[in-house]
Coordinates of all heavy atoms in Angstrom, one line a residue:
M1426 N 1.0 15.7 9.8 CA 1.5 15.6 8.4 C 1.4 14.2 7.8 O 0.9 14.0 6.7 CB 2.9 16.1 8.3 CG 3.4 16.2 6.9 SD 2.5 17.3 6.0 CE 3.5 17.3 4.5
P1427 N 1.8 13.1 8.6 CA 1.7 11.8 8.1 C 0.2 11.4 7.8 O -0.1 10.7 6.8 CB 2.2 10.9 9.2 CG 3.1 11.8 10.0 CD 2.5 13.1 9.9
L1428 N -0.7 11.9 8.6 CA -2.1 11.6 8.4 C -2.6 12.2 7.1 O -3.3 11.6 6.3 CB -3.0 12.1 9.5 CG -4.5 11.9 9.4 CD1 -4.8 10.4 9.4 CD2 -5.2 12.6 10.6
V1429 N -2.1 13.4 6.7 CA -2.5 14.0 5.5 C -1.9 13.3 4.3 O -2.6 13.0 3.3 CB -2.0 15.5 5.5 CG1 -2.2 16.1 4.1 CG2 -2.7 16.3 6.5
V1430 N -0.7 12.9 4.4 CA 0.0 12.1 3.3 C -0.7 10.8 3.1 O -1.1 10.4 2.0 CB 1.5 12.0 3.6 CG1 2.1 11.1 2.5 CG2 2.1 13.4 3.6
M1431 N -0.8 10.0 4.2 CA -1.4 8.6 4.1 C -2.9 8.7 3.7 O -3.4 7.9 2.9 CB -1.2 7.9 5.4 CG 0.3 7.5 5.6 SD 1.1 6.6 4.3 CE 0.2 5.0 4.5
G1432 N -3.6 9.6 4.4 CA -5.0 9.7 4.1 C -5.3 10.2 2.7 O -6.1 9.7 2.0
G1433 N -4.5 11.2 2.2 CA -4.7 11.7 0.9 C -4.3 10.7 -0.2 O -5.0 10.5 -1.2
G1434 N -3.2 9.9 0.1 CA -2.8 8.9 -0.8 C -3.9 7.8 -0.9 O -4.2 7.3 -2.0
S1435 N -4.4 7.4 0.2 CA -5.4 6.4 0.3 C -6.7 6.8 -0.5 O -7.3 6.1 -1.2 CB -5.8 6.0 1.7 OG -4.7 5.5 2.4
L1436 N -7.1 8.1 -0.2 CA -8.3 8.6 -0.9 C -8.0 8.7 -2.4 O -8.9 8.3 -3.2 CB -8.6 10.0 -0.3 CG -9.8 10.7 -0.9 CD1 -11.1 9.8 -0.6 CD2 -10.0 12.0 -0.3
L1437 N -6.9 9.1 -2.8 CA -6.6 9.2 -4.3 C -6.6 7.8 -4.9 O -7.1 7.6 -6.0 CB -5.2 9.9 -4.5 CG -4.8 10.1 -5.9 CD1 -5.8 11.1 -6.6 CD2 -3.4 10.7 -6.0
T1438 N -6.0 6.9 -4.2 CA -5.9 5.5 -4.7 C -7.3 4.9 -4.9 O -7.7 4.3 -5.9 CB -5.1 4.6 -3.8 OG1 -3.8 5.1 -3.7 CG2 -5.0 3.2 -4.3
G1439 N -8.2 5.2 -3.9 CA -9.5 4.7 -4.0 C -10.3 5.3 -5.1 O -11.1 4.7 -5.8
L1440 N -10.1 6.6 -5.3 CA -10.8 7.3 -6.4 C -10.3 6.8 -7.8 O -11.1 6.6 -8.7 CB -10.6 8.8 -6.3 CG -11.3 9.5 -5.1 CD1 -10.9 11.0 -5.0 CD2 -12.8 9.4 -5.3
V1441 N -9.0 6.5 -7.9 CA -8.5 6.0 -9.2 C -9.0 4.6 -9.4 O -9.4 4.3 -10.5 CB -7.0 6.0 -9.2 CG1 -6.4 5.2 -10.3 CG2 -6.4 7.5 -9.2
M1442 N -9.1 3.8 -8.4 CA -9.5 2.4 -8.6 C -11.0 2.4 -8.8 O -11.5 1.5 -9.5 CB -9.2 1.6 -7.3 CG -7.8 1.4 -7.1 SD -7.0 0.6 -8.6 CE -5.8 -0.4 -7.9
A1443 N -11.8 3.4 -8.4 CA -13.2 3.4 -8.6 C -13.6 4.1 -9.8 O -14.8 4.2 -10.2 CB -13.9 4.0 -7.4
A1444 N -12.7 4.7 -10.5 CA -13.0 5.5 -11.7 C -13.8 4.7 -12.8 O -14.7 5.2 -13.4 CB -11.7 6.1 -12.3
P1445 N -13.4 3.4 -13.1 CA -14.2 2.7 -14.1 C -15.7 2.6 -13.7 O -16.6 2.6 -14.5 CB -13.6 1.3 -14.1 CG -12.2 1.6 -13.6 CD -12.3 2.7 -12.6
F1446 N -16.0 2.4 -12.4 CA -17.3 2.3 -11.9 C -18.1 3.7 -12.0 O -19.3 3.7 -12.3 CB -17.4 1.8 -10.5 CG -16.7 0.4 -10.4 CD1 -15.5 0.3 -9.7 CD2 -17.3 -0.7 -10.9 CE1 -14.9 -1.0 -9.6 CE2 -16.7 -2.0 -10.8 CZ -15.5 -2.1 -10.2
A1447 N -17.3 4.7 -11.8 CA -17.9 6.1 -11.8 C -18.3 6.4 -13.2 O -19.3 7.1 -13.5 CB -16.9 7.1 -11.2
R1448 N -17.5 5.9 -14.2 CA -17.9 6.2 -15.6 C -19.1 5.5 -16.0 O -19.9 6.0 -16.9 CB -16.7 5.8 -16.5 CG -15.5 6.7 -16.4 CD -14.5 6.4 -17.5 NE -13.2 7.0 -17.1 CZ -12.1 6.4 -17.0 NH1 -12.0 5.1 -17.3 NH2 -11.0 7.0 -16.7
A1449 N -19.4 4.3 -15.4 CA -20.6 3.6 -15.8 C -21.8 4.3 -15.3 O -22.8 4.3 -16.0 CB -20.5 2.2 -15.2
S1450 N -21.7 4.9 -14.2 CA -22.9 5.7 -13.7 C -22.3 7.0 -13.1 O -21.6 7.1 -12.2 CB -23.6 4.9 -12.6 OG -23.5 5.5 -11.3
P1451 N -22.7 8.2 -13.8 CA -22.1 9.5 -13.4 C -22.4 9.8 -11.9 O -23.3 9.3 -11.3 CB -22.8 10.5 -14.3 CG -23.5 9.7 -15.3 CD -23.6 8.3 -14.8
L1452 N -21.5 10.6 -11.3 CA -21.6 10.9 -9.9 C -22.9 11.8 -9.7 O -23.2 12.7 -10.4 CB -20.4 11.7 -9.5 CG -19.1 10.9 -9.3 CD1 -18.0 11.9 -8.9 CD2 -19.3 9.9 -8.3
E1453 N -23.6 11.4 -8.7 CA -24.7 12.2 -8.2 C -24.4 12.9 -7.0 O -23.5 12.6 -6.3 CB -25.9 11.2 -8.0 CG -26.3 10.4 -9.2 CD -27.3 9.3 -8.9 OE1 -27.8 9.3 -7.8 OE2 -27.6 8.6 -9.8
P1454 N -25.1 13.9 -6.6 CA -24.9 14.7 -5.4 C -24.9 13.8 -4.1 O -24.1 13.9 -3.2 CB -26.0 15.7 -5.3 CG -26.4 15.9 -6.8 CD -26.2 14.6 -7.4
A1455 N -25.8 12.8 -4.1 CA -25.9 11.9 -3.0 C -24.6 11.1 -2.8 O -24.1 10.8 -1.7 CB -27.1 10.9 -3.2
A1456 N -24.0 10.7 -4.0 CA -22.7 10.0 -3.9 C -21.6 10.8 -3.3 O -20.7 10.4 -2.6 CB -22.3 9.4 -5.3
L1457 N -21.6 12.1 -3.7 CA -20.6 13.0 -3.2 C -20.7 13.3 -1.7 O -19.8 13.4 -1.0 CB -20.6 14.3 -4.0 CG -20.2 14.2 -5.4 CD1 -20.4 15.6 -6.1 CD2 -18.8 13.7 -5.6
V1458 N -22.0 13.3 -1.3 CA -22.2 13.5 0.2 C -21.8 12.3 0.9 O -21.2 12.4 2.0 CB -23.7 13.8 0.4 CG1 -24.1 13.7 1.9 CG2 -24.1 15.2 -0.2
T1459 N -22.1 11.1 0.4 CA -21.6 9.9 1.0 C -20.1 9.8 1.1 O -19.5 9.4 2.1 CB -22.1 8.6 0.2 OG1 -23.6 8.7 0.2 CG2 -21.7 7.3 0.9
L1460 N -19.4 10.2 0.0 CA -18.0 10.2 0.0 C -17.4 11.2 1.1 O -16.5 10.8 1.8 CB -17.4 10.6 -1.4 CG -15.9 10.8 -1.5 CD1 -15.2 9.4 -1.2 CD2 -15.5 11.3 -2.8
A1461 N -18.0 12.4 1.1 CA -17.5 13.3 2.1 C -17.8 12.9 3.6 O -16.9 13.0 4.4 CB -18.3 14.7 1.9
A1462 N -18.9 12.2 3.8 CA -19.2 11.7 5.1 C -18.3 10.6 5.5 O -17.8 10.5 6.7 CB -20.7 11.2 5.2
T1463 N -17.9 9.8 4.6 CA -17.0 8.7 4.8 C -15.6 9.2 5.2 O -14.9 8.8 6.1 CB -16.9 7.7 3.6 OG1 -18.2 7.2 3.4 CG2 -16.0 6.6 3.9
V1464 N -15.1 10.2 4.4 CA -13.8 10.8 4.7 C -13.8 11.5 6.0 O -12.9 11.3 6.8 CB -13.5 11.8 3.5 CG1 -12.2 12.6 3.9 CG2 -13.2 11.0 2.2
V1465 N -14.8 12.2 6.3 CA -14.9 12.9 7.6 C -15.0 11.9 8.8 O -14.3 12.1 9.8 CB -16.1 13.9 7.6 CG1 -16.3 14.5 9.0 CG2 -15.8 15.1 6.7
G1466 N -15.8 10.9 8.6 CA -15.9 9.9 9.6 C -14.6 9.1 9.9 O -14.2 8.9 11.0
G1467 N -13.9 8.8 8.8 CA -12.6 8.1 8.9 C -11.5 9.0 9.6 O -10.8 8.5 10.4
L1468 N -11.5 10.3 9.2 CA -10.6 11.2 9.8 C -10.9 11.3 11.3 O -10.0 11.3 12.1 CB -10.7 12.6 9.1 CG -9.8 13.7 9.7 CD1 -8.3 13.3 9.5 CD2 -10.1 15.0 9.1
A1469 N -12.1 11.4 11.7 CA -12.5 11.6 13.1 C -12.1 10.3 13.8 O -11.6 10.4 15.0 CB -14.0 11.8 13.2
A1470 N -12.3 9.1 13.2 CA -11.9 7.9 13.9 C -10.4 7.8 14.1 O -9.9 7.4 15.2 CB -12.4 6.7 13.1
V1471 N -9.6 8.2 13.2 CA -8.1 8.2 13.3 C -7.7 9.2 14.4 O -6.8 8.8 15.2 CB -7.4 8.4 11.9 CG1 -6.0 8.6 12.1 CG2 -7.7 7.3 11.0
V1472 N -8.2 10.4 14.3 CA -7.8 11.4 15.3 C -8.3 11.0 16.7 O -7.5 11.1 17.7 CB -8.4 12.8 14.9 CG1 -8.2 13.8 16.0 CG2 -7.7 13.2 13.6
G1473 N -9.5 10.4 16.8 CA -10.0 9.9 18.1 C -9.1 8.8 18.7 O -8.8 8.8 19.9
A1474 N -8.7 7.9 17.8 CA -7.9 6.8 18.3 C -6.5 7.3 18.7 O -6.0 6.8 19.7 CB -7.7 5.7 17.2
S1475 N -6.0 8.2 18.0 CA -4.7 8.8 18.4 C -4.8 9.5 19.7 O -3.9 9.4 20.6 CB -4.3 9.8 17.3 OG -3.1 10.5 17.7
E1476 N -5.9 10.3 19.9 CA -6.1 11.0 21.2 C -6.3 10.0 22.4 O -5.8 10.2 23.5 CB -7.2 12.0 21.1 CG -6.9 13.2 20.2 CD -5.7 13.9 20.7 OE1 -5.5 14.2 21.9 OE2 -4.9 14.3 19.8
L1477 N -7.1 8.9 22.1 CA -7.3 8.0 23.2 C -6.1 7.2 23.6 O -5.9 6.7 24.7 CB -8.4 7.0 22.8 CG -9.8 7.6 22.8 CD1 -10.8 6.6 22.2 CD2 -10.2 8.0 24.2
S1478 N -5.2 7.0 22.6 CA -4.0 6.2 22.9 C -2.8 7.0 23.5 O -1.8 6.5 24.0 CB -3.5 5.4 21.7 OG -3.0 6.4 20.7
R1479 N -3.0 8.3 23.5 CA -1.9 9.2 24.0 C -1.6 9.0 25.4 O -0.4 9.0 25.8 CB -2.3 10.7 23.7 CG -1.2 11.7 23.8 CD -1.6 13.0 23.3 NE -1.9 12.9 21.9 CZ -1.5 13.7 21.0 NH1 -0.8 14.8 21.3 NH2 -1.8 13.6 19.7
P1480 N -2.5 8.9 26.3 CA -2.2 8.6 27.7 C -1.4 7.3 27.9 O -0.4 7.3 28.7 CB -3.5 8.5 28.5 CG -4.4 9.3 27.6 CD -4.0 9.1 26.2
L1481 N -1.7 6.3 27.2 CA -1.0 5.0 27.3 C 0.4 5.2 26.8 O 1.4 4.7 27.4 CB -1.7 3.9 26.5 CG -1.0 2.6 26.4 CD1 -0.9 2.0 27.8 CD2 -1.7 1.7 25.5
L1482 N 0.6 5.9 25.7 CA 1.9 6.1 25.1 C 2.8 7.0 26.1 O 3.9 6.7 26.3 CB 1.8 6.8 23.8 CG 3.1 7.2 23.1 CD1 3.9 5.9 22.7 CD2 2.8 8.0 21.8
R1483 N 2.1 7.9 26.7 CA 2.8 8.8 27.7 C 3.3 8.0 28.9 O 4.4 8.1 29.4 CB 2.0 9.9 28.1 CG 2.7 11.0 29.0 CD 1.8 12.2 29.3 NE 1.3 12.8 28.1 CZ 0.0 13.0 27.9 NH1 -0.9 12.6 28.8 NH2 -0.4 13.6 26.8
A1484 N 2.4 7.1 29.4 CA 2.7 6.2 30.5 C 3.8 5.3 30.2 O 4.7 5.0 31.1 CB 1.5 5.5 31.0
V1485 N 3.9 4.8 29.0 CA 4.9 3.8 28.7 C 6.3 4.5 28.5 O 7.3 3.9 28.8 CB 4.5 3.0 27.4 CG1 5.6 2.2 26.9 CG2 3.3 2.2 27.7
T1486 N 6.3 5.7 28.0 CA 7.6 6.3 27.6 C 8.0 7.3 28.7 O 9.2 7.7 28.7 CB 7.4 7.2 26.3 OG1 6.4 8.1 26.5 CG2 7.2 6.3 25.2
T1487 N 7.2 7.6 29.7 CA 7.7 8.5 30.8 C 8.8 7.9 31.7 O 9.8 8.6 31.9 CB 6.5 8.9 31.7 OG1 5.5 9.6 30.8 CG2 6.9 9.8 32.8
N1488 N 8.6 6.7 32.2 CA 9.5 6.2 33.1 C 9.9 4.7 32.7 O 9.4 3.8 33.3 CB 9.0 6.2 34.5 CG 10.0 5.8 35.5 OD1 11.2 5.8 35.2 ND2 9.6 5.7 36.8
P1489 N 10.6 4.6 31.6 CA 11.0 3.3 31.1 C 11.9 2.6 32.1 O 12.8 3.2 32.7 CB 11.6 3.5 29.8 CG 12.2 4.9 29.9 CD 11.3 5.6 30.8
S1490 N 11.7 1.3 32.3 CA 12.6 0.5 33.2 C 13.9 0.3 32.5 O 14.0 0.2 31.3 CB 11.9 -0.8 33.6 OG 11.7 -1.5 32.4
P1491 N 15.0 0.3 33.3 CA 16.3 0.1 32.7 C 16.4 -1.3 32.1 O 15.9 -2.3 32.6 CB 17.3 0.2 33.9 CG 16.5 0.1 35.1 CD 15.0 0.4 34.7
R1492 N 17.1 -1.4 31.0 CA 17.3 -2.6 30.3 C 18.6 -3.3 30.8 O 19.7 -2.6 30.8 CB 17.4 -2.4 28.8 CG 16.2 -1.8 28.2 CD 16.5 -1.3 26.8 NE 15.8 -2.3 25.9 CZ 15.9 -2.2 24.6 NH1 16.6 -1.3 24.1 NH2 15.2 -3.1 23.9
P1493 N 18.6 -4.5 31.2 CA 19.8 -5.2 31.6 C 20.6 -5.6 30.4 O 20.5 -6.8 29.9 CB 19.2 -6.4 32.4 CG 17.9 -6.7 31.8 CD 17.4 -5.4 31.3
D1494 N 21.5 -4.8 30.0 CA 22.4 -5.1 28.8 C 23.7 -5.5 29.3 O 24.5 -4.9 29.9 CB 22.5 -3.9 27.9 CG 21.2 -3.7 27.1 OD1 20.7 -4.7 26.5 OD2 20.7 -2.6 27.1

């Protein structure tokens, strides 16, 4: 869920900020394909990084050492 909210918000912000440039030159199919490829590639990178860091997170949280308080 956080990935959907943050990713969607980032994508929406980028589209709003790029709107003046899009008005100067109308969207072409090639631009839409590039946008879709960028979104899919970014999503794959975030999901891949999350999956690759999962074993490290599990190792750190499985047996934490006691804190001398």
